[in-house]
Amino acid sequence: MLNGPASAPAGAVVVPAGDNSALTPNYANPGFSVPNTTFWFAPGVHTLGTDQYAQIQPGDGDVYIGAPGAIISGQKANQSAFTSTGSNVTIEYLTIQDFVSVEGQMVVNHDGGQGWIIKFNTVQNNTGGAGVGLGTDTVVSDNCLTHNGEYGFSSICSGSSCDPLTGGAANVTLTNNEISFNDADGEYDQPGGIDCGCSGGGKLWQVNGATVTGNYVHDNGQVGIWADTDNTNLNISNNTVTNNYSEGIMIEISYNFSITNNVLTNNAWKAGPQLGGFPDSAIYISESGGDSRIPGPYSGKAIISGNTLTDNWGGIVVWENANRFCSDGSDGVCTLVDPKTFTLSSCAANLPTAVAGKSTGSPAADYYDGCRWKAQNVEISNNTFHFTPANIPQCTTANLCGFMGLFSNYGSTAPYTGAAVPTAITFAQGNLWKSNTYVGPWSFWAWSQSNIDNPVAKWQSGVTDKCATSSEQQSGTCDTGFGQDLGSTGL
């Protein structure tokens, strides 16, 4: 499937193997930047020059096709293979390897060109950044993205192609790729690395509209598929996600998504034992959920359904950090609910006196709700969870293996102090587990960060006092029902 045409298409510029540096200067004639030109790379190794910035800068509508055995090598000297903001570029059937990218940058589609089609390529053995960039209207399909330094893929946009709501790429498609062994050496987010939260199979950042389907995501050095910061309208479905160092799928401070019909196996075996007080999981939802104030096809929805999870370190955890909000100092962006009203500066000025459900401050607004990313309206239904502790190294309940969770920590910053957020995420934000199938001795973490190792009877019991008694509030331990997963089977 990755082998291109054995002869040049009609009208194509034939690019011989060897040193192709004469074609790299911008708009050389002939050269790689001439718009609406097809280039056919002959079998063999192609190089672009010795300078770190030697690269191909496509013009609008250019097409780059590899013959069987065509390799573009960065010679461990060039930073990127394909750059520029040219639009509607096609790259097919090439092996692109040995580039020395930079953290946060991409080897292919370095600058977030719009409407690129990247198909049937092998992007491998590149150090530093990501293998490919997902720009607005970009389709990345049927590629092998393997052994890249930071990620297999990462989203990026440029200029007017950036979405006006999120500030990132829009309408990106990642389908039928094999994404494997990226950051396998653990230089970023494993013990001894730089601990940046910036590695793994790939990351979506401030994307409005992503289709992530049919991919095989395995053996990456951190999270398999990671949507981080102000993403919305995400479809993550029919993927096979296995053997990743940490979570298989993670949604963080984002909105409106559908995670359906995925198979997740053996994820977080290595990261799970190291968390020390927090349950790692196959699917992790962090301060994310459905919000009808954000427009789009998944507006108001956060669906996790029809997935099969087998022998991961944990199942599904839905978490909301009570001390994480716009202007807390940990994120350089704000929420998407009303960007003109809720900004870093307005939230910093008005949150200390905010009151839930009321307009306060100047200008008057509901800062309590508008400045928070919330784990809300998450429906977890009709999933199948298989768990055999003996199959997983170091897996014990004391080591927080085999947990589900819907909980938060006690807040220490006004206005979210005490049990306000644990009570909201558990009882007031529309989160619901129902009709799932469990096989194995699962445990449940509910309400507060202190309320762990709940048996099935508590997880499925009806809501009673909503953990509101004085003794429960003081201890952080709630002995009453949480109203979750009624109608589940196999327990």
Side-chain angles (χ1 to χ4, degrees):
M1 187 170 68
L2 300 180
N3 287 326
S7 59
V13 174
V14 175
V15 182
D19 181 5
N20 299 150
S21 60
L23 300 176
T24 60
N26 199 22
Y27 296 106
N29 191 12
F32 285 133
S33 303
V34 178
N36 301 311
T37 303
T38 297
F39 301 89
W40 178 80
F41 290 75
V45 177
H46 299 252
T47 60
L48 306 177
T50 58
D51 186 83
Q52 64 177 325
Y53 300 118
Q55 57 204 351
I56 297 174
Q57 302 175 69
D60 293 347
D62 281 346
V63 177
Y64 304 86
I65 302 175
I71 298 170
I72 299 178
S73 172
Q75 307 173 87
K76 301 189 182 301
N78 315 134
Q79 288 188 358
S80 299
F82 290 89
T83 67
S84 88
T85 58
S87 61
N88 303 318
V89 172
T90 299
I91 301 169
E92 296 181 321
Y93 301 114
L94 287 162
T95 294
I96 301 165
Q97 64 187 33
D98 297 330
F99 287 81
V100 285
S101 187
V102 177
E103 180 186 328
Q105 298 185 15
M106 297 78 182
V107 173
V108 178
N109 200 6
H110 174 274
D111 300 307
Q114 184 172 359
W116 287 35
I117 297 174
I118 303 168
K119 297 178 66 176
F120 306 122
N121 303 285
T122 300
V123 183
Q124 66 180 7
N125 300 332
N126 301 292
T127 60
V132 299
L134 300 177
T136 291
D137 299 326
T138 288
V139 175
V140 176
S141 70
D142 301 283
N143 302 280
C144 178
L145 311 177
T146 188
H147 288 95
N148 296 289
E150 188 178 8
Y151 296 115
F153 66 90
S154 186
S155 64
I156 186 174
C157 66
S158 175
S160 62
S161 73
C162 296
D163 185 75
L165 174 63
T166 64
N171 187 34
V172 304
T173 299
L174 182 80
T175 186
N176 296 334
N177 303 281
E178 183 171 357
I179 303 166
S180 63
F181 297 101
N182 298 288
D183 192 32
D185 295 334
E187 295 182 6
Y188 291 92
D189 292 308
Q190 296 179 26
I194 63 176
D195 193 24
C196 60
C198 64
S199 65
K203 181 175 280 191
L204 304 173
W205 183 273
Q206 295 179 282
V207 170
N208 189 347
T211 300
V212 182
T213 59
N215 301 286
Y216 178 29
V217 184
H218 66 94
D219 295 287
N220 295 286
Q222 243 289 326
V223 179
I225 301 169
W226 193 346
D228 184 3
T229 304
D230 279 350
N231 300 276
T232 188
N233 297 311
L234 309 177
N235 171 18
I236 302 174
S237 61
N238 297 295
N239 301 284
T240 297
V241 185
T242 184
N243 293 330
N244 294 288
Y245 182 92
S246 191
E247 294 91 343
I249 299 172
M250 180 172 175
I251 312 293
E252 183 176 4
I253 59 170
S254 293
Y255 304 88
N256 301 339
F257 53 84
S258 176
I259 302 173
T260 59
N261 301 318
N262 301 283
V263 174
L264 297 102
T265 308
N266 300 353
N267 294 289
W269 283 16
K270 295 180 179 178
Q274 301 172 28
L275 284 186
F278 197 93
D280 212 342
S281 55
I283 299 176
Y284 179 39
I285 308 301
S286 177
E287 298 90 27
S288 301
D291 196 319
S292 60
R293 295 172 294 181
I294 314 300
Y298 295 105
S299 181
K301 299 177 181 178
I303 300 166
I304 305 176
S305 183
N307 303 286
T308 301
L309 290 77
T310 302
D311 287 344
N312 302 281
W313 186 260
I316 297 175
V317 167
V318 180
W319 155 261
E320 185 175 330
N321 183 346
N323 297 317
R324 190 176 192 182
F325 48 85
C326 172
S327 78
D328 68 2
S330 61
D331 301 290
V333 298
C334 202
T335 61
L336 295 180
V337 295
D338 184 354
K340 293 182 179 179
T341 300
F342 303 113
T343 65
L344 289 167
S345 59
S346 71
C347 289
N350 291 290
L351 267 178
T353 58
V355 179
K358 294 184 178 181
S359 290
T360 58
S362 179
D366 184 357
Y367 291 97
Y368 189 99
D369 294 308
C371 295
R372 281 200 72 82
W373 292 277
K374 293 183 178 183
Q376 64 181 3
N377 302 319
V378 181
E379 180 179 303
I380 299 169
S381 64
N382 298 298
N383 302 284
T384 301
F385 303 99
H386 297 273
F387 174 52
T388 305
N391 293 342
I392 305 171
Q394 305 181 64
C395 181
T396 63
T397 301
N399 214 9
L400 301 183
C401 181
F403 274 79
M404 306 281 174
L406 174 65
F407 67 104
S408 178
N409 54 326
Y410 270 34
S412 59
T413 306
Y416 310 113
T417 53
V421 176
T423 300
I425 187 177
T426 310
F427 302 113
Q429 291 183 179
N431 296 310
L432 178 63
W433 303 54
K434 66 177 184 178
S435 303
N436 298 288
T437 299
Y438 295 85
V439 178
W442 290 97
S443 301
F444 304 92
W445 198 319
W447 183 54
S448 88
Q449 198 164 7
S450 301
N451 206 50
I452 68 171
D453 197 15
N454 290 286
V456 170
K458 287 186 181 181
W459 187 246
Q460 290 192 281
S461 62
V463 175
T464 54
D465 63 9
K466 298 186 179 181
C467 305
T469 68
S470 59
S471 62
E472 290 167 337
Q473 293 277 314
Q474 291 172 7
S475 66
T477 301
C478 182
D479 293 325
T480 53
F482 308 105
Q484 292 295 332
D485 231 347
L486 297 175
S488 61
T489 61
L491 293 166

